[in-house]
mmCIF file of all heavy atoms in Angstrom:
data_model
loop_
_atom_site.group_PDB
_atom_site.id
_atom_site.type_symbol
_atom_site.label_atom_id
_atom_site.label_comp_id
_atom_site.label_asym_id
_atom_site.label_seq_id
_atom_site.Cartn_x
_atom_site.Cartn_y
_atom_site.Cartn_z
ATOM 1 N N ASP A 209 -6.694 13.865 16.935
ATOM 2 C CA ASP A 209 -5.206 13.859 16.785
ATOM 3 C C ASP A 209 -4.616 12.470 16.657
ATOM 4 O O ASP A 209 -3.414 12.242 16.637
ATOM 5 C CB ASP A 209 -4.476 14.627 17.938
ATOM 6 C CG ASP A 209 -5.012 14.153 19.301
ATOM 7 O OD1 ASP A 209 -5.924 13.259 19.291
ATOM 8 O OD2 ASP A 209 -4.535 14.651 20.287
ATOM 9 N N ASP A 210 -5.505 11.436 16.467
ATOM 10 C CA ASP A 210 -4.993 10.106 16.073
ATOM 11 C C ASP A 210 -4.404 10.217 14.700
ATOM 12 O O ASP A 210 -4.730 11.207 13.917
ATOM 13 C CB ASP A 210 -6.207 9.141 16.024
ATOM 14 C CG ASP A 210 -6.540 8.595 17.387
ATOM 15 O OD1 ASP A 210 -5.747 8.742 18.284
ATOM 16 O OD2 ASP A 210 -7.678 8.031 17.598
ATOM 17 N N SER A 211 -3.595 9.289 14.309
ATOM 18 C CA SER A 211 -2.995 9.372 13.022
ATOM 19 C C SER A 211 -3.992 8.907 11.915
ATOM 20 O O SER A 211 -4.873 8.146 12.154
ATOM 21 C CB SER A 211 -1.751 8.459 12.882
ATOM 22 O OG SER A 211 -2.114 7.018 12.906
ATOM 23 N N GLN A 212 -3.808 9.405 10.673
ATOM 24 C CA GLN A 212 -4.637 8.989 9.530
ATOM 25 C C GLN A 212 -4.460 7.513 9.331
ATOM 26 O O GLN A 212 -5.415 6.814 8.984
ATOM 27 C CB GLN A 212 -4.130 9.675 8.283
ATOM 28 C CG GLN A 212 -4.253 11.181 8.387
ATOM 29 C CD GLN A 212 -3.824 11.889 7.122
ATOM 30 O OE1 GLN A 212 -3.331 11.237 6.153
ATOM 31 N NE2 GLN A 212 -3.795 13.192 7.073
ATOM 32 N N GLU A 213 -3.272 6.954 9.603
ATOM 33 C CA GLU A 213 -3.072 5.591 9.462
ATOM 34 C C GLU A 213 -3.935 4.726 10.416
ATOM 35 O O GLU A 213 -4.382 3.687 9.942
ATOM 36 C CB GLU A 213 -1.551 5.270 9.862
ATOM 37 C CG GLU A 213 -0.863 4.347 8.981
ATOM 38 C CD GLU A 213 0.612 4.237 9.343
ATOM 39 O OE1 GLU A 213 1.141 5.208 10.011
ATOM 40 O OE2 GLU A 213 1.197 3.190 9.024
ATOM 41 N N LEU A 214 -4.101 5.262 11.649
ATOM 42 C CA LEU A 214 -5.019 4.473 12.548
ATOM 43 C C LEU A 214 -6.388 4.446 12.066
ATOM 44 O O LEU A 214 -7.141 3.446 12.015
ATOM 45 C CB LEU A 214 -4.932 5.060 13.970
ATOM 46 C CG LEU A 214 -5.792 4.419 14.976
ATOM 47 C CD1 LEU A 214 -5.152 3.017 15.320
ATOM 48 C CD2 LEU A 214 -5.954 5.221 16.258
ATOM 49 N N ALA A 215 -6.853 5.653 11.537
ATOM 50 C CA ALA A 215 -8.259 5.706 10.978
ATOM 51 C C ALA A 215 -8.363 4.765 9.856
ATOM 52 O O ALA A 215 -9.386 4.041 9.722
ATOM 53 C CB ALA A 215 -8.453 7.188 10.534
ATOM 54 N N ALA A 216 -7.349 4.711 9.006
ATOM 55 C CA ALA A 216 -7.400 3.786 7.809
ATOM 56 C C ALA A 216 -7.417 2.318 8.291
ATOM 57 O O ALA A 216 -8.239 1.516 7.749
ATOM 58 C CB ALA A 216 -6.182 4.010 6.940
ATOM 59 N N LYS A 217 -6.635 2.005 9.290
ATOM 60 C CA LYS A 217 -6.559 0.609 9.810
ATOM 61 C C LYS A 217 -7.966 0.275 10.369
ATOM 62 O O LYS A 217 -8.483 -0.873 10.185
ATOM 63 C CB LYS A 217 -5.600 0.503 10.817
ATOM 64 C CG LYS A 217 -4.272 0.080 10.231
ATOM 65 C CD LYS A 217 -3.194 -0.359 11.295
ATOM 66 C CE LYS A 217 -1.925 -0.528 10.630
ATOM 67 N NZ LYS A 217 -0.757 -0.269 11.498
ATOM 68 N N LYS A 218 -8.666 1.216 11.112
ATOM 69 C CA LYS A 218 -9.937 0.835 11.783
ATOM 70 C C LYS A 218 -11.004 0.652 10.668
ATOM 71 O O LYS A 218 -11.744 -0.290 10.719
ATOM 72 C CB LYS A 218 -10.321 1.931 12.680
ATOM 73 C CG LYS A 218 -9.480 1.840 14.032
ATOM 74 C CD LYS A 218 -10.154 2.767 15.118
ATOM 75 C CE LYS A 218 -9.531 2.437 16.493
ATOM 76 N NZ LYS A 218 -10.059 3.317 17.561
ATOM 77 N N LEU A 219 -11.025 1.599 9.737
ATOM 78 C CA LEU A 219 -12.062 1.505 8.709
ATOM 79 C C LEU A 219 -11.912 0.198 7.976
ATOM 80 O O LEU A 219 -12.866 -0.547 7.667
ATOM 81 C CB LEU A 219 -11.912 2.663 7.703
ATOM 82 C CG LEU A 219 -12.944 2.688 6.516
ATOM 83 C CD1 LEU A 219 -13.460 4.092 6.369
ATOM 84 C CD2 LEU A 219 -12.354 2.120 5.256
ATOM 85 N N SER A 220 -10.637 -0.172 7.606
ATOM 86 C CA SER A 220 -10.421 -1.366 6.849
ATOM 87 C C SER A 220 -10.702 -2.629 7.688
ATOM 88 O O SER A 220 -11.305 -3.641 7.175
ATOM 89 C CB SER A 220 -8.917 -1.337 6.392
ATOM 90 O OG SER A 220 -8.590 -2.553 5.810
ATOM 91 N N LYS A 221 -10.319 -2.599 8.915
ATOM 92 C CA LYS A 221 -10.592 -3.773 9.735
ATOM 93 C C LYS A 221 -12.047 -4.097 9.946
ATOM 94 O O LYS A 221 -12.446 -5.304 9.941
ATOM 95 C CB LYS A 221 -9.909 -3.526 11.094
ATOM 96 C CG LYS A 221 -10.114 -4.635 12.113
ATOM 97 C CD LYS A 221 -9.295 -4.401 13.337
ATOM 98 C CE LYS A 221 -9.664 -5.485 14.416
ATOM 99 N NZ LYS A 221 -8.995 -5.125 15.719
ATOM 100 N N TYR A 222 -12.855 -3.083 10.117
ATOM 101 C CA TYR A 222 -14.295 -3.307 10.381
ATOM 102 C C TYR A 222 -15.118 -3.048 9.150
ATOM 103 O O TYR A 222 -16.335 -2.976 9.264
ATOM 104 C CB TYR A 222 -14.691 -2.344 11.540
ATOM 105 C CG TYR A 222 -14.057 -2.629 12.816
ATOM 106 C CD1 TYR A 222 -13.103 -1.871 13.419
ATOM 107 C CD2 TYR A 222 -14.492 -3.800 13.528
ATOM 108 C CE1 TYR A 222 -12.404 -2.175 14.583
ATOM 109 C CE2 TYR A 222 -13.861 -4.123 14.766
ATOM 110 C CZ TYR A 222 -12.884 -3.276 15.280
ATOM 111 O OH TYR A 222 -12.220 -3.621 16.439
ATOM 112 N N ASP A 223 -14.484 -2.948 7.951
ATOM 113 C CA ASP A 223 -15.249 -2.860 6.675
ATOM 114 C C ASP A 223 -16.310 -1.744 6.771
ATOM 115 O O ASP A 223 -17.441 -1.955 6.330
ATOM 116 C CB ASP A 223 -15.907 -4.146 6.329
ATOM 117 C CG ASP A 223 -14.861 -5.177 5.991
ATOM 118 O OD1 ASP A 223 -13.686 -4.871 5.742
ATOM 119 O OD2 ASP A 223 -15.285 -6.404 6.080
ATOM 120 N N LEU A 224 -15.831 -0.592 7.185
ATOM 121 C CA LEU A 224 -16.828 0.516 7.301
ATOM 122 C C LEU A 224 -16.742 1.463 6.133
ATOM 123 O O LEU A 224 -15.778 1.563 5.507
ATOM 124 C CB LEU A 224 -16.468 1.387 8.614
ATOM 125 C CG LEU A 224 -16.384 0.619 9.863
ATOM 126 C CD1 LEU A 224 -15.884 1.542 10.961
ATOM 127 C CD2 LEU A 224 -17.801 0.081 10.256
ATOM 128 N N LEU A 225 -17.830 2.176 5.842
ATOM 129 C CA LEU A 225 -17.911 3.110 4.803
ATOM 130 C C LEU A 225 -17.209 4.370 5.267
ATOM 131 O O LEU A 225 -16.702 5.243 4.476
ATOM 132 C CB LEU A 225 -19.286 3.510 4.422
ATOM 133 C CG LEU A 225 -19.955 2.556 3.338
ATOM 134 C CD1 LEU A 225 -21.440 2.878 3.337
ATOM 135 C CD2 LEU A 225 -19.309 2.707 2.081
ATOM 136 N N ALA A 226 -17.239 4.649 6.522
ATOM 137 C CA ALA A 226 -16.649 5.928 7.101
ATOM 138 C C ALA A 226 -16.465 5.681 8.587
ATOM 139 O O ALA A 226 -17.045 4.905 9.234
ATOM 140 C CB ALA A 226 -17.599 7.102 6.919
ATOM 141 N N VAL A 227 -15.426 6.447 9.112
ATOM 142 C CA VAL A 227 -15.113 6.439 10.544
ATOM 143 C C VAL A 227 -15.388 7.815 11.117
ATOM 144 O O VAL A 227 -14.862 8.796 10.501
ATOM 145 C CB VAL A 227 -13.687 6.103 10.812
ATOM 146 C CG1 VAL A 227 -13.360 6.000 12.321
ATOM 147 C CG2 VAL A 227 -13.255 4.792 10.184
ATOM 148 N N PRO A 228 -16.235 7.920 12.140
ATOM 149 C CA PRO A 228 -16.398 9.252 12.758
ATOM 150 C C PRO A 228 -15.186 9.689 13.571
ATOM 151 O O PRO A 228 -14.492 8.868 14.183
ATOM 152 C CB PRO A 228 -17.526 9.091 13.668
ATOM 153 C CG PRO A 228 -17.646 7.632 13.934
ATOM 154 C CD PRO A 228 -16.961 6.844 12.827
ATOM 155 N N VAL A 229 -14.943 11.011 13.507
ATOM 156 C CA VAL A 229 -13.817 11.634 14.250
ATOM 157 C C VAL A 229 -14.351 12.483 15.299
ATOM 158 O O VAL A 229 -15.244 13.281 15.138
ATOM 159 C CB VAL A 229 -12.908 12.565 13.273
ATOM 160 C CG1 VAL A 229 -11.738 13.131 14.098
ATOM 161 C CG2 VAL A 229 -12.502 11.755 12.042
ATOM 162 N N VAL A 230 -13.922 12.189 16.571
ATOM 163 C CA VAL A 230 -14.477 12.865 17.753
ATOM 164 C C VAL A 230 -13.388 13.567 18.536
ATOM 165 O O VAL A 230 -12.273 13.213 18.397
ATOM 166 C CB VAL A 230 -15.270 11.872 18.659
ATOM 167 C CG1 VAL A 230 -16.505 11.267 17.973
ATOM 168 C CG2 VAL A 230 -14.340 10.830 19.188
ATOM 169 N N THR A 231 -13.844 14.544 19.306
ATOM 170 C CA THR A 231 -12.881 15.218 20.236
ATOM 171 C C THR A 231 -12.704 14.278 21.477
ATOM 172 O O THR A 231 -13.389 13.297 21.704
ATOM 173 C CB THR A 231 -13.405 16.470 20.737
ATOM 174 O OG1 THR A 231 -14.618 16.272 21.421
ATOM 175 C CG2 THR A 231 -13.685 17.419 19.599
#
Side-chain angles (χ1 to χ4, degrees):
Chain A
D209 52 358
D210 280 341
S211 70
Q212 297 178 3
E213 219 174 340
L214 181 70
K217 273 189 186 153
K218 285 195 170 176
L219 181 138
S220 173
K221 180 173 170 187
Y222 294 105
D223 294 340
L224 305 170
L225 277 170
V227 182
V229 183
V230 296
T231 63

